[in-house]
Amino acid sequence: MELYPPSPTSSSSPRSPSPHQQQPSSPPRIRRLEASVVNRIAAGEVIQRPSAAVKELVENSLDAASTSVSVSVKDGGLKLLLVSDDGHGIRYEDLPILCERHTTSKLSTYEDLQTIKSMGFRGEALASMTYVGHVTVTTITEGQLHGYRVSYRDGVMEHEPKPCAAVKGTQIMVENLFYNMAARRKTLQNCNDDYPKIVDLISRFSVHHMNVNFSCRKYGSNRADVHTVGGTSRLDTIRTVYGASVARDLMEISVSDDNPARSIFKMEGFISNSNYVAKKTTMILFINDRLVDCTALKRAVELVYSATLPKASKPFIYMSINLPSEHVDVNIHPTKREVSLLDQDSLIDTIQNAVEAKLMSSNRTQLQKVPVNQMVRTDSRNPFGRLHSYWKDEAQSSKQEKKSDLVSMRSVVVARRNWKENTDFTSIDQLLREIDSNVHRGLLDIVKDCTYVGLADEVFALLQYNTYLYLVNVVNVSKELMYQQVLCRFSKFNAIQLSEPAPLRDLLLMALKDEELETRGDETETDDDLKEKIAQMNIELLKEKEDMLEDYFGIKMEDGCLIRLPVILDQYVPDMDRIPEFLLSLANDIDWDDERECFQTISAVLANFYAIHPPILPNPSGDGIRFYKKNREEAGLDSEILAEKSVEEEVDEELVAEAETAWSQREWNIQHVLFPSMRLFLKPPKCMATDGTFVQVASLEKLYRVFERC
Ligand code: ADP
Ligand code: MG
């Protein structure tokens, strides 16, 4: 979390000199914080927002063996949260200490943690709520004639429990949450309220706890936003909560592992098939019946989807994983939300393989699709690189989006043919011979026999060859590989069919605008008429070469539209964002007069288009996330608010999701398409040994020797 530097004006206020100031001063005194302050800080961490309070309350109800849990919410939970259950209730004698910190009925020794089956164990949730809100508990235990009601503040009862009429179970009411944390309250009020998050939470619980009736509503409303009846099937519950369109596209999945050397677990669940379309992943994950997040697992599953289904849809996943409780560390996160697992990597691997196998088998009969709405372009009006479909008309574009589901784009696996037997173009022979005679033997050995280690950054991948580690420039290598493959496949390309003909004029104009953006400043702006003229000239030229481009290079144009592209590497579709730039090069960078030059330059232009460049959207992981921050008016908020932990990072989530898909798909392509093909086909030219394409970074022997000395 970043801290914001104080504004220049605030430093003028008279204060004791800070340690950074020149003037020598004695160190500031260290003081013990008052218990109430400590408790409030801790409470703010456990209960970060209203939905977090609801999660704790519902988990308590489930721990109390309830069969019915209902939630009411007023003002996003800031005014009122009410959770009622029909569980075993709370004993009268326990009420005085119920809301003290570290009072629990679920754990007594540290060792109990290892076998904990309940969802609570720290005795912190209720106590925390009393430090940041007003808590009132009404409860009755079995066999009692009446119940008790008592209110709490700062961990203690405000009065003796009062007898009252009560129905079976417990009702916990939290009022005025964060009344004493002005900044938190203000930020939460500024953000969208938490009610949708609460609905989402209850939806998740209801899918997993099929035998419990759940309901969630706004206070005073007679319509529940989630309402499930226990005892139905899981798929029925999903249908009730998430809708028929989701349930329809789900497949049941299960996998288990009982090899103690790897991992021991059992997973059951549902995953979406290739018809399911969503911009965001829904992952409902329960580990040992506890609702948790496991980012590594989520990413692993998303990766399978983005790699297997080029449609760039995010999955819907419900998974329930059970493993020996001593293999789960539930205690790594203050809200118990993230867990860490023993043998996590191998468990994730097994699940990833199962998901992949399931998807592949369900997908086998379907064609590989790339919807035309993936053909997107940088919007010149938005400096952050906002992408949009190149159809101007919104309504039209959504129509086309639908249609593109039906009219699919096809990329067929080709049987590789031997070019030497078929070509009769001496210039192609020549170019291929040139490649052969220019091979760097040492690099060829490396390429044929290397192991992919991983990506080092956006451009370099790490590979191991014998005891050496090398950095290899993915863009250069893929460009060369594509170039060589274009020549090898010359005149025998399989086709990637675009689902909709793509108008050359629009694409060329787009490329011209982009080019202008890049060079703006030193040239005067080309006016639109001129751009239009250039585009028309380019179209005419391309039309003249249409037949040749189709016959020899598999680039099919018709009626001023691009229709088909060649398959250069099997299973690989180039980044459609680069089509405009590609067409502009095709019309301007080719030497059409000399056959050899012509074929070489076209191959090079294609190779540049198909090379694995970094996606146009910046990588949202790490530093790149700042490109996606929405321009919020932060001027009005004071630094205390900005430093608040619970403030949601306001990012354009749709765009981030899009970028994440692009980046993960690229990584998959590098590992599973580029490297295997490179081992088989690439003939690295001599220049790659010196131009920084391959760089030896370490010899493992030397590294081992260093370690031995340590
Ligand atoms: P934890 O769940 O970690 O034990 P909490 O602060 O959430 O800590 O709850 C403290 C104790 O209060 C629980 O251990 C449980 O005994 C009791 N309790 C809380 N909510 C309920 C409920 N809805 N029904 C029965 N007992 C409850
Ligand atoms: Mg609890």
Side-chain angles (χ1 to χ4, degrees):
M1 159 117 226
E2 268 182 52
L3 286 175
Y4 291 78
S7 63
T9 47
S10 67
S11 62
S12 61
S13 61
R15 273 211 239 127
S16 54
S18 86
H20 306 292
Q21 278 167 344
Q22 291 292 315
Q23 185 184 346
S25 64
S26 51
R29 291 294 305 273
I30 298 177
R31 281 185 219 92
R32 201 177 290 282
L33 285 173
E34 275 177 38
S36 64
V37 178
V38 176
N39 285 332
R40 199 187 303 170
I41 293 172
E45 251 168 52
V46 177
I47 306 295
Q48 294 195 347
R49 46 193 320 138
S51 51
V54 174
K55 180 166 189 273
E56 295 289 347
L57 294 173
V58 171
E59 285 180 343
N60 281 346
S61 296
L62 292 168
D63 282 342
S66 307
T67 60
S68 175
V69 179
S70 60
V71 179
S72 282
V73 179
K74 195 168 173 179
D75 196 8
L78 290 178
K79 192 96 209 121
L80 174 82
L81 285 173
L82 194 61
V83 176
S84 316
D85 65 51
D86 63 350
H88 56 50
I90 302 163
R91 261 181 259 272
Y92 171 78
E93 344 34 304
D94 288 339
L95 287 174
I97 60 158
L98 175 70
C99 293
E100 274 176 28
R101 278 187 86 187
H102 312 305
T103 56
T104 175
S105 57
K106 302 167 193 173
L107 176 79
S108 54
T109 68
Y110 186 78
E111 285 66 37
D112 289 348
L113 254 184
Q114 294 211 326
T115 51
I116 196 102
K117 292 261 179 342
S118 63
M119 284 175 252
F121 53 80
R122 294 213 273 226
E124 249 176 338
L126 280 181
S128 298
M129 284 174 228
T130 69
Y131 285 100
V132 293
H134 304 133
V135 175
T136 304
V137 177
T138 309
T139 187
I140 183 168
T141 50
E142 197 158 11
Q144 280 193 317
L145 293 175
H146 58 79
Y148 288 97
R149 176 173 301 149
V150 56
S151 298
Y152 297 83
R153 211 178 259 231
D154 296 343
V156 293
M157 295 200 294
E158 286 192 305
H159 52 79
E160 282 299 305
K162 291 182 190 146
C164 65
V167 288
K168 183 175 191 264
T170 305
Q171 189 179 61
I172 298 191
M173 178 163 79
V174 183
E175 289 167 292
N176 302 321
L177 202 55
F178 305 127
Y179 73 97
N180 50 2
M181 299 177 84
R184 176 83 56 100
R185 217 183 146 81
K186 208 162 137 198
T187 13
L188 285 166
Q189 275 165 345
N190 282 348
C191 298
N192 289 337
D193 83 26
D194 241 20
Y195 186 65
K197 281 206 169 67
I198 296 171
V199 169
D200 178 62
L201 184 74
I202 304 303
S203 306
R204 286 162 191 261
F205 275 122
S206 64
V207 169
H208 184 71
H209 296 276
M210 284 189 302
N211 294 319
V212 179
N213 306 328
F214 283 93
S215 79
C216 177
R217 69 186 75 225
K218 282 196 173 157
Y219 185 77
S221 157
N222 43 24
R223 211 201 77 227
D225 295 292
V226 186
H227 187 95
T228 59
V229 183
T232 47
S233 81
R234 180 150 288 134
L235 202 57
D236 282 339
T237 314
I238 295 178
R239 187 172 297 114
T240 312
V241 177
Y242 290 93
S245 61
V246 173
R248 190 188 52 217
D249 291 335
L250 294 184
M251 311 182 278
E252 202 159 358
I253 186 171
S254 68
V255 63
S256 60
D257 194 353
D258 55 7
N259 181 346
R262 254 185 344 243
S263 57
I264 304 178
F265 76 94
K266 205 162 167 278
M267 181 277 275
E268 283 173 348
F270 286 92
I271 61 171
S272 53
N273 63 25
S274 58
N275 297 325
Y276 178 80
V277 182
K279 289 236 165 74
K280 264 176 83 175
T281 302
T282 305
M283 176 130 187
I284 306 174
L285 176 64
F286 283 80
I287 295 182
N288 289 358
D289 297 316
R290 194 187 293 274
L291 176 61
V292 290
D293 283 339
C294 180
T295 316
L297 178 60
K298 182 175 168 201
R299 290 252 178 283
V301 175
E302 282 178 332
L303 196 63
V304 176
Y305 274 81
S306 60
T308 322
L309 310 176
K311 209 157 61 165
S313 174
K314 298 276 181 161
F316 180 100
I317 309 285
Y318 160 73
M319 274 182 193
S320 168
I321 299 175
N322 277 289
L323 59 165
S325 44
E326 61 272 21
H327 290 186
V328 192
D329 187 353
V330 287
N331 206 17
I332 58 165
H333 196 267
T335 66
K336 311 184 245 79
R337 186 124 185 101
E338 275 271 350
V339 291
S340 106
L341 309 174
L342 197 68
D343 301 320
Q344 180 161 304
D345 290 347
S346 122
L347 176 141
I348 288 178
D349 237 35
T350 313
I351 292 181
Q352 203 177 20
N353 290 338
V355 171
E356 190 171 30
K358 187 92 203 170
L359 263 184
M360 295 285 216
S361 70
S362 82
N363 206 25
R364 198 159 291 145
T365 50
Q366 303 196 16
L367 303 170
Q368 249 195 58
K369 295 186 205 168
V370 176
V372 76
N373 62 328
Q374 262 189 20
M375 299 169 61
V376 285
R377 215 36 212 156
T378 315
D379 182 345
S380 53
R381 281 161 304 178
N382 186 328
F384 294 144
R386 167 82 205 153
L387 292 185
H388 68 106
S389 139
Y390 65 74
W391 281 279
K392 309 281 180 306
D393 177 340
E394 283 285 313
Q396 195 195 347
S397 104
S398 72
K399 231 192 293 156
Q400 257 151 349
E401 225 171 86
K402 266 200 212 105
K403 215 161 138 206
S404 68
D405 270 349
L406 304 170
V407 192
S408 54
M409 177 191 277
R410 192 167 173 181
S411 139
V412 194
V413 180
V414 248
R416 285 180 204 100
R417 304 183 190 95
N418 189 346
W419 60 271
K420 280 176 184 151
E421 289 161 12
N422 294 303
T423 27
D424 42 14
F425 281 95
T426 44
S427 55
I428 293 290
D429 283 351
Q430 257 179 33
L431 289 169
L432 282 165
R433 263 199 303 274
E434 244 165 55
I435 292 173
D436 280 337
S437 63
N438 193 28
V439 174
H440 187 285
R441 291 288 145 198
L443 288 184
L444 186 64
D445 289 344
I446 295 176
V447 161
K448 292 257 167 282
D449 228 5
C450 67
T451 318
Y452 174 78
V453 179
L455 280 182
D457 65 12
E458 300 189 349
V459 174
F460 283 94
L462 208 52
L463 60 82
Q464 188 185 340
Y465 169 69
N466 290 336
T467 53
Y468 298 100
L469 280 180
Y470 289 88
L471 282 173
V472 48
N473 183 316
V474 169
V475 180
N476 288 1
V477 166
S478 58
K479 201 181 291 182
E480 181 63 29
L481 178 66
M482 300 293 174
Y483 171 73
Q484 297 180 4
Q485 284 296 301
V486 172
L487 294 177
C488 288
R489 295 181 177 210
F490 183 79
S491 83
K492 294 181 296 292
F493 289 98
N494 279 45
I496 300 173
Q497 172 94 35
L498 305 197
S499 59
E500 299 277 334
L504 294 176
R505 179 183 160 272
D506 292 5
L507 294 168
L508 284 165
L509 283 177
M510 213 174 269
L512 287 167
K513 274 194 197 121
D514 279 1
E515 202 173 56
E516 182 178 83
L517 264 185
E518 273 157 31
T519 54
R520 191 153 58 189
D522 26 299
E523 276 169 50
T524 49
E525 251 184 60
T526 328
D527 64 48
D528 286 351
D529 282 352
L530 188 55
K531 278 198 213 103
E532 186 71 48
K533 270 189 206 127
I534 298 176
Q536 285 311 333
M537 276 164 56
N538 285 340
I539 292 171
E540 267 158 43
L541 176 73
L542 290 175
K543 189 166 168 44
E544 212 175 283
K545 309 290 176 194
E546 222 170 57
D547 293 343
M548 190 267 258
L549 288 172
E550 183 184 352
D551 291 350
Y552 299 158
F553 293 98
I555 304 167
K556 178 159 173 63
M557 289 172 280
E558 204 176 71
D559 300 332
C561 288
L562 180 66
I563 307 225
R564 242 180 260 148
L565 286 168
V567 172
I568 295 181
L569 278 189
D570 301 348
Q571 310 274 328
Y572 178 75
V573 177
D575 182 354
M576 296 296 166
D577 276 358
R578 296 186 179 272
I579 287 189
E581 181 192 329
F582 159 67
L583 288 173
L584 197 64
S585 297
L586 196 59
N588 293 282
D589 302 345
I590 309 297
D591 177 350
W592 302 98
D593 300 332
D594 175 79
E595 182 186 288
R596 196 191 112 107
E597 283 296 303
C598 172
F599 289 164
Q600 185 179 25
T601 43
I602 296 177
S603 305
V605 167
L606 266 172
N608 190 40
F609 172 29
Y610 278 62
I612 305 185
H613 298 274
I616 287 176
L617 283 174
N619 192 345
S621 64
D623 221 21
I625 193 73
R626 71 200 147 86
F627 289 102
Y628 301 92
K629 295 245 166 80
K630 284 184 183 160
N631 294 338
R632 291 179 65 211
E633 279 144 335
E634 284 168 346
L637 304 178
D638 55 42
S639 59
E640 190 196 355
I641 294 173
L642 290 171
E644 268 279 344
K645 226 176 161 178
S646 72
V647 180
E648 287 258 294
E649 295 284 15
E650 281 281 315
V651 295
D652 187 334
E653 289 187 21
E654 226 173 77
L655 203 56
V656 169
E658 207 173 303
E660 275 172 352
T661 308
W663 282 89
S664 62
Q665 197 152 359
R666 172 176 186 262
E667 191 171 342
W668 196 90
N669 275 334
I670 291 171
Q671 186 177 355
H672 298 286
V673 180
L674 177 64
F675 267 76
S677 325
M678 181 179 100
R679 270 182 224 118
L680 285 174
F681 306 124
L682 183 71
K683 297 173 176 167
K686 293 195 174 106
C687 63
M688 282 192 172
T690 49
D691 68 1
T693 303
F694 284 85
V695 184
Q696 188 188 318
V697 280
S699 137
L700 294 180
E701 281 153 354
K702 278 188 197 146
L703 281 181
Y704 290 145
R705 247 174 269 141
V706 174
F707 288 136
E708 268 164 24
R709 263 184 268 126
C710 297

